[in-house]
Amino acid sequence: MPRPGLSAAPASVRGFWPFLKAPALPDRPARLSGAALTSTVRLLLLDLALLAPIVLVAGLAQMAGYQLPDNVFANMPLTGPLITLIVIGAPLMEELLFRSWLSGRPQHIAPPLLIVAALAALILLGPAQPLAGGATALTALVVAGIAAWRWRGRNPLPFFRRHFRWFYLAATAAFASVHLTNYTEGTALFLLPLVIPQFLTGLVLGYVRVRNGLWSAILLHALHNGVIVGAVLLATRAAGVH
């Protein structure tokens, strides 16, 4: 039985709630189209609606004198390069890392693993053995490209489809957890409530990724970050801070 007031909502929004109750991997994501673009925007509105109560509570808490832990971005001026990183760079990198593989297809699962291996090689070997680290990273990236090409068009792995619920939740939890690094003080357990917004957004982004495709998740993520940056800029201007 549909929730009161939900029956009039667009299909993309209505579909989120059953998906959340029983996450399942569809056979194919929607093709890039006007309808899919409209769906992405509507799901952005859903994402913002989920975050609105949390923003309100946080605002009231600050008005009551509660101070949130220091954030690495709090004192950084919103310059053009930083805005570009937040609105374009972060959505692209994070969606590739946390949700590109949620399709369950070999062509999407192998490349992120190999890219992580390439980054690990640069971090572990780069400082002491730059040539070895660079060669290992380059090899991993080349193999990632070949794997994506050779395995294109294959169906999702049966194991992945059966256990998709846990992969979906794990990707969402990992996405939220990595944002703990935004804070410069406090223990991880203490900071966990502060990444609830990222967890909720991650649930929507995972749904968008498998429903519409990776491009849609990247676009929604970029719009989400753009709205936040725009709100911060407006608030800063209203407060007379330049």
Side-chain angles (χ1 to χ4, degrees):
M1 181 176 181
R3 296 186 179 187
L6 195 59
S7 58
S12 56
V13 175
R14 292 199 308 273
F16 175 69
W17 306 109
F19 177 86
L20 202 57
K21 291 179 180 178
L25 187 61
D27 291 331
R28 295 274 178 184
R31 293 182 179 275
L32 176 58
S33 64
L37 286 170
T38 301
S39 165
T40 303
V41 174
R42 286 170 173 167
L43 288 164
L44 169 67
L45 297 178
L46 171 65
D47 166 52
L48 297 177
L50 291 174
L51 299 185
I54 298 176
V55 173
L56 177 60
V57 169
L60 292 174
Q62 287 187 296
M63 290 174 61
Y66 178 77
Q67 294 297 317
L68 295 175
D70 287 338
N71 188 296
V72 293
F73 296 106
N75 298 317
M76 295 178 64
L78 284 174
T79 60
L82 181 58
I83 292 175
T84 301
L85 175 64
I86 294 172
V87 177
I88 298 177
L92 182 60
M93 291 185 292
E94 290 177 349
E95 292 310 307
L96 287 173
L97 178 60
F98 293 108
R99 277 171 283 273
S100 61
W101 50 274
L102 272 182
S103 68
R105 302 174 188 279
Q107 72 188 79
H108 298 146
I109 293 175
L113 293 176
L114 290 165
I115 290 171
V116 169
L119 292 174
L122 287 175
I123 294 171
L124 297 175
L125 298 177
Q129 304 178 53
L131 289 179
T136 303
L138 180 60
T139 301
L141 291 174
V142 170
V143 174
I146 294 173
W149 175 258
R150 289 291 302 272
W151 291 338
R152 68 190 186 282
R154 293 196 180 186
N155 292 326
L157 299 172
F159 173 84
F160 194 99
R161 185 184 290 279
R162 285 196 305 272
H163 300 284
F164 173 75
R165 171 197 296 269
W166 305 112
F167 289 114
Y168 168 66
L169 293 176
T172 303
F175 172 70
S177 297
V178 78
H179 288 84
L180 291 171
T181 60
N182 290 351
Y183 297 95
T184 58
E185 59 181 355
T187 63
L189 184 62
F190 173 75
L191 295 173
L192 276 178
L194 298 181
V195 296
I196 290 175
Q198 285 85 357
F199 187 83
L200 294 176
T201 295
L203 291 174
V204 177
L205 287 170
Y207 169 65
V208 170
R209 191 270 176 267
V210 299
R211 185 184 192 278
N212 291 347
L214 182 61
W215 67 268
S216 183
I218 294 173
L219 175 60
L220 192 152
H221 196 157
L223 292 173
H224 169 98
N225 286 8
V227 168
I228 293 175
V229 169
V232 170
L233 289 174
L234 288 175
T236 302
R237 178 169 295 183
V241 179
H242 302 284

